[in-house]
Amino acid sequence: MINNLLSSIELCSEYTSDFPFSPCEKYPEYPFDDYSRKPNCVYKAVRNHFRNLGLDKENFGNANWNPLGEFDIVGKKIVIKPNWVMHEHPLNKNIWSVITHPSIIRVVLDYIFIATKGNCQVTIGDAPLQSADFDKILKLSKINELILYFNEKGLNITVEDFRLEKAIRDK
């Protein structure tokens, strides 16, 4: 399942930088009024992945499509564990190879919102390398801004550093 999703996303030429990473197409199930003027192939890839999994296939293409609705998540605690490895690439290459791009998290949050109408508690968290600067990861990934965006829409989201131990690098 994950490999298929990653293959779909790899077909994208680039991640959108258009915060809050809204879709650029009008999907009938999309619950909000904001759309991106820039392409967002990640949104489409994740949405298509849910469809390809056969989730709520009888409603795909209409306003009632709820791919996460078959999971009992209303009123529950939901954890999203992205891949946040380090706050910098060790070879100074693209940061998105060591941090999950927030546009992927955005799509998942939209479909959680659709499934729960905001009646749930979402925690986004990870345990990056011990020497990683968690605050820098949050800043790079704009997660705090994304949390504010969804909190205003009624979805309660928190962020958590799951590491039990942290290393502090100094001179």
Side-chain angles (χ1 to χ4, degrees), residues 5-16 39-46 103:
L5 173 61
L6 293 176
S7 296
S8 298
I9 293 171
E10 286 173 6
L11 296 176
C12 297
S13 59
E14 63 183 50
Y15 293 110
T16 184
N40 185 346
C41 58
V42 168
Y43 203 102
K44 184 175 187 174
V46 174
S103 62

Side-chain angles (χ1 to χ4, degrees), residues 21-79:
F21 317 111
S22 301
C24 60
E25 299 176 47
K26 293 186 177 188
Y27 298 119
E29 74 279 2
Y30 183 64
F32 308 121
D33 294 327
D34 59 324
Y35 293 91
S36 176
R37 294 181 185 170
K38 295 181 180 178
N40 185 346
C41 58
V42 168
Y43 203 102
K44 184 175 187 174
V46 174
R47 181 179 185 268
N48 285 340
H49 187 66
F50 288 155
R51 182 199 66 211
N52 292 342
L53 287 171
L55 299 174
D56 196 23
K57 62 183 173 187
E58 60 276 355
N59 285 311
F60 182 77
N62 69 54
N64 295 323
W65 189 55
N66 182 1
L68 302 181
E70 67 186 68
F71 303 102
D72 184 24
I73 61 174
V74 175
K76 302 286 175 76
K77 293 180 181 180
I78 302 166
V79 175

